[in-house]
Amino acid sequence: MALDQLAIDRLRAVAVAPGQNFVDGQHCMPRSGQAMDSISPIDGRVLTSIPASDAADVDAAVAAARRAQPGWAGLAPARRGRILQEIGARIDAEADALAVLGVQDNGTEIAMAHKAEPLSAAATFRYYGELADKGYGEIAPTAPGTLGLVHREPLGVIGAIVPWNFPLMIGAWKVAAALAAGNSVVLKPAETASLTLLRLAQICAMAGLPDGVFNVVAGTGAEAGDALARHMDVDALAFTGSGATGRKLMEAAAQSNLKRVYLELGGKSPLVVFADAPDLEAAAKTAVGAIFRNAGQVCVAASRLLVETSIHADFVARICDLAGEMKLGDPLDLATQSGAIASETQMTSVLAAIDRGHSEGAELRLGGRRRDMPGFFIDPTVFDNAPAQSSLVQREIFGPVLAVQPFATEEAAVALANGTAYGLAAGVFTADLARAHRMVSRLRAGVVHVNTYGGTDLTVPLGGIGQSGNGHDKSTHALDKYTNLKTAWIKL
Ligand code: ADP
């Protein structure tokens, strides 16, 4: 579905209504009545307000989810599937409005946000809707005289905590899979990107999802998020966000009811370009998009570029040309290629990382500054010859900052690529098929792209290893996170 500038401009002219929680099939404000400002990163102004919920609000949502879950799990799976598909259709029907609302909230360039947010969320609900009645149990190969049946059961109440970079897409990955498996969900969106998920709850209700099956409670991570993580009646947490928060969630689970904790955390993903890449110009374009789209606020962003020494100087020069030509600015302009940093806090954190990069001896080749305009924008930034142990190479920045490192041999490339605590994504450009396969097996990452970067669809899982997390979103495998295996052992 094409999106046109006129439609975007009409939608952005409409005042954004204050967000409200959605609990037990109804809009509601937090019991405390507290709200907080939602600031648009496009101009730094207050866009609207969202609820500042506390533990009592989370309690009410979990109680509603608990009450609703058996009825939802008790529906015929095909019926559950039809409701999920109807949610997908309704998201599609208001995709333009959802995309504009989301961009006003988090600053992703609209051309990307439209596809990655509503359209991808709609596809996710359809995908899991179709799967709802396709999961079979097992008959175990036991000895004669017994029958071993393996049933798949929903876990119960899932707590989902999601970030601000792609709230609808990531939220849908968790919610649609959890609902398809017969669970109910309480979701806590990020404080800087709650509006589209609050709207999603309403869309779900209009599509026929029973009251209480999907609840959205907005608030801070420290208060509403923590209350969900510590709740004694939540069976599992499904999280995407930073490693620091992931650690807190594991602690909260350990200190409460030992709920399962699924973490999709950050990355410092390497893109390795060999001199024999089939098309170096295409590789350079891909590398630029892989770090600078959505201003680098992408968990699989290729924030490290490893280039074979013989092409290093020319390749980096080309990267800087291409990145310098990117159209940075108003994310609601369809021509914009790199949008805003989602919040002032995040912008400050990215600028601090750039300062550290200078002090660590890397060579700044491009950018390095906040753009002089309203809102939160940072120029695409390229550091060359970044030292292997520098924070530029070792720490996720989650902004438009690329660290380049040259390498001389395949062995050295693997060592550099695997030289961080992360393991989310990686990429390789080479025309050598044997080398491509070797790299896929040697690179420590949940996904390795070959002669491309960042492409994906719902049929393949996404998940990290090492400090990039555990568990997988997307594909049939995501259902494993939301189901329990129960054995029936029967004497015949
Ligand atoms: P990011 O750096 O992507 O913002 P965060 O981990 O800070 O990642 O945030 C991701 C989500 O985690 C947000 O919804 C945020 O509110 C939530 N969050 C942050 N701190 C906590 C916490 N202590 N407990 C639970 N949730 C939290």
Side-chain angles (χ1 to χ4, degrees):
M1 270 160 282
L3 180 64
D4 65 75
Q5 193 62 51
L6 204 63
I8 296 169
D9 293 340
R10 274 203 205 103
L11 285 161
R12 84 185 300 181
V14 179
V16 177
Q20 293 187 40
N21 287 341
F22 201 85
V23 175
D24 211 4
Q26 292 194 6
H27 282 302
C28 54
M29 284 312 284
R31 289 163 186 224
S32 64
Q34 296 293 311
M36 51 192 180
D37 285 343
S38 166
I39 309 284
S40 177
I42 301 176
D43 54 11
R45 298 213 187 122
V46 176
L47 180 63
T48 186
S49 64
I50 54 166
S53 310
D54 62 17
D57 303 303
V58 170
D59 247 351
V62 173
R66 179 59 68 194
R67 280 194 303 275
Q69 192 270 330
W72 173 243
L75 288 183
R79 170 102 189 95
R80 286 207 303 271
R82 279 198 299 276
I83 293 174
L84 295 187
Q85 294 194 49
E86 176 62 20
I87 294 171
R90 285 174 183 258
I91 296 172
D92 264 338
E94 56 178 271
D96 293 2
L98 280 166
V100 171
L101 180 65
V103 171
Q104 288 174 298
D105 212 7
N106 80 347
T108 303
E109 57 276 9
I110 185 88
M112 182 187 208
H114 189 242
K115 290 197 198 92
E117 283 281 276
L119 297 188
S120 135
T124 302
F125 274 94
R126 280 197 300 274
Y127 179 85
Y128 287 105
E130 286 163 7
L131 278 180
D133 63 349
K134 314 257 176 330
Y136 291 77
E138 292 165 8
I139 300 172
T142 54
T146 53
L147 178 62
L149 301 178
V150 185
H151 297 270
R152 277 190 178 272
E153 293 187 329
L155 293 182
V157 176
I158 308 299
I161 300 180
V162 298
W164 39 260
N165 55 342
F166 295 103
L168 262 186
M169 175 177 79
I170 294 171
W173 289 345
K174 298 178 193 314
V175 174
L179 296 184
N183 302 279
S184 56
V185 177
V186 176
L187 181 143
K188 208 292 290 174
E191 3 337 30
T192 47
S194 295
L195 295 170
T196 52
L197 285 163
L198 292 167
R199 175 68 188 150
L200 175 65
Q202 214 179 344
I203 293 173
C204 290
M206 292 186 311
L209 193 71
D211 293 352
V213 173
F214 176 45
N215 310 274
V216 180
V217 180
T220 64
E223 191 151 14
D226 185 65
L228 192 57
R230 290 179 188 281
H231 205 287
M232 293 299 289
D233 204 25
V234 169
D235 297 293
L237 288 176
F239 173 73
T240 297
S242 64
T245 303
R247 282 193 166 77
K248 287 186 194 158
L249 300 186
M250 283 193 147
E251 277 175 30
Q255 288 162 4
S256 55
N257 64 344
L258 287 173
K259 56 181 72 63
R260 296 179 190 190
V261 182
Y262 302 114
L263 304 174
E264 203 264 89
L265 306 174
K268 196 77 203 180
S269 300
L271 181 57
V272 184
V273 182
F274 288 95
D276 70 356
D279 179 346
L280 282 171
E281 178 63 13
K285 285 189 177 142
T286 302
V288 166
I291 177 62
F292 296 123
R293 289 177 74 192
N294 200 17
Q297 300 161 107
V298 180
C299 56
V300 296
S303 51
R304 292 189 291 146
L305 178 64
L306 277 45
V307 190
E308 193 163 355
T309 321
S310 58
I311 56 164
H312 169 237
D314 288 348
F315 196 80
V316 174
R318 188 67 191 129
I319 291 283
C320 291
D321 286 348
L322 289 169
E325 287 162 11
M326 278 184 99
K327 189 169 182 311
L328 175 80
D330 181 2
L332 283 170
D333 180 341
L334 266 174
T336 293
Q337 294 169 301
S338 187
I341 307 295
S343 65
E344 191 162 12
T345 313
Q346 182 60 16
M347 183 176 64
T348 307
S349 148
V350 174
L351 291 171
I354 291 173
D355 281 348
R356 275 198 305 276
H358 284 295
S359 67
E360 291 169 335
E363 298 157 26
L364 183 72
R365 287 285 158 80
L366 185 75
R369 276 189 304 271
R370 179 178 182 180
R371 176 85 45 114
D372 186 17
M373 60 192 275
F376 313 139
F377 295 87
I378 295 178
D379 286 330
T381 297
V382 178
F383 279 101
D384 198 3
N385 294 313
Q389 293 313 315
S390 63
S391 65
L392 268 183
V393 167
Q394 295 296 331
R395 281 207 234 160
E396 182 178 54
I397 296 172
F398 222 63
V401 182
L402 179 64
V404 184
Q405 295 172 280
F407 68 84
T409 62
E410 185 178 316
E411 212 48 42
V414 170
L416 285 175
N418 289 344
T420 74
Y422 296 107
L424 192 55
V428 188
F429 275 81
T430 178
D432 178 338
L433 188 62
R435 170 184 271 162
H437 283 290
R438 278 198 304 275
M439 293 297 284
V440 168
S441 88
R442 297 182 74 189
L443 291 179
R444 197 167 159 273
V447 52
V448 181
H449 305 92
V450 178
N451 293 332
T452 181
Y453 195 86
T456 188
D457 68 16
L458 284 162
T459 63
V460 290
L462 172 72
I465 54 178
Q467 291 187 27
S468 289
N470 61 63
H472 292 90
D473 283 322
K474 305 196 296 145
S475 83
T476 54
H477 298 288
L479 294 170
D480 294 343
K481 290 197 300 195
Y482 305 112
T483 50
N484 193 29
L485 297 178
K486 180 192 269 180
T487 298
W489 185 263
I490 299 165
K491 184 171 181 305
L492 297 177

